[in-house]
């Protein structure tokens, strides 16, 4: 059977099952909200221990990163992601997963050439472009007299 790329795309669209957008959106919303609520609960716990709000927020962020990395290492984060989809992409936990997951995947290649080198294959561009964007934003803010 000889098909052009366009004919093949039409064929695939015709036979592929539809995506349950409503269900996926609801699961993402509920899961992302639950992760955020967990972060707020952790922050409230630190506030209850007498921490300042900024310090409690930092401590809660550290806890979320640690929990996400632990869940990734135990294979739980990928199962949650399969269930909840985009809801697991809450920035801080999704980023921690994006760093921990490749590190685990490539640990068999060695500590330096595997884990250390491959750790930022997914998150590296985010870090690089995020840093560049923050420098540009800071420079613009400084030039416009806002900082």
């Amino acid at each position: 059977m000889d098909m052009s790329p366009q004919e093949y795309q039409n064929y695939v669209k015709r036979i592929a099952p539809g995506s349950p957008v409503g269900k996926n959106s609801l699961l993402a919303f509920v899961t992302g909200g639950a992760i955020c609520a967990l972060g707020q609960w952790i922050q409230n716990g630190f506030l209850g221990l007498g921490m300042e709000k900024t310090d409690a927020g930092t401590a809660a962020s550290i806890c979320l990163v640690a929990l996400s990395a632990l869940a990734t290492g135990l294979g739980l984060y990928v199962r949650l992601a399969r269930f909840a989809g985009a809801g697991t992409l809450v920035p801080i936990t999704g980023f921690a997963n994006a760093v921990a997951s490749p590190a685990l995947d490539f640990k068999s290649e060695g500590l330096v050439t595997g884990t250390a080198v491959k750790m930022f294959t997914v998150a590296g561009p985010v870090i690089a472009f995020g840093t560049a964007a923050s420098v540009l934003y800071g420079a613009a803010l400084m030039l416009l007299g806002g900082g």
Side-chain angles (χ1 to χ4, degrees):
M1 183 163 158
D2 192 24
M3 286 187 189
S4 71
Q6 183 62 40
E7 289 172 327
Y8 180 73
Q9 288 296 331
N10 292 336
Y11 171 72
V12 169
K13 283 181 185 176
R14 196 173 64 246
I15 67 166
S19 178
V21 175
K23 176 187 164 204
N24 290 347
S25 298
L26 181 63
L27 283 173
F29 177 77
V30 170
T31 304
I35 292 171
C36 292
L38 173 64
Q40 186 63 54
W41 181 76
I42 293 169
Q43 182 179 1
N44 289 347
F46 284 122
L47 288 170
L49 293 174
M51 279 188 167
E52 296 290 326
K53 187 171 184 173
T54 304
D55 294 337
T58 301
S61 296
I62 291 168
C63 287
L64 285 174
V65 167
L67 287 171
S68 178
L70 179 65
T72 299
L74 295 173
L76 301 174
Y77 204 91
V78 71
R79 292 197 330 216
L80 178 63
R82 280 191 197 122
F83 170 75
T88 59
L89 295 178
V90 172
I92 199 158
T93 56
F95 188 77
N97 173 260
V99 172
S101 187
L104 291 171
D105 290 344
F106 294 102
K107 70 180 179 182
S108 63
E109 294 181 23
L111 182 63
V112 174
T113 58
T115 300
V117 171
K118 305 287 185 163
M119 184 182 301
F120 295 105
T121 55
V122 175
V126 175
I127 294 169
F129 286 107
T131 302
S134 67
V135 168
L136 291 174
Y137 176 76
L141 193 61
M142 187 180 74
L143 291 173
L144 296 173

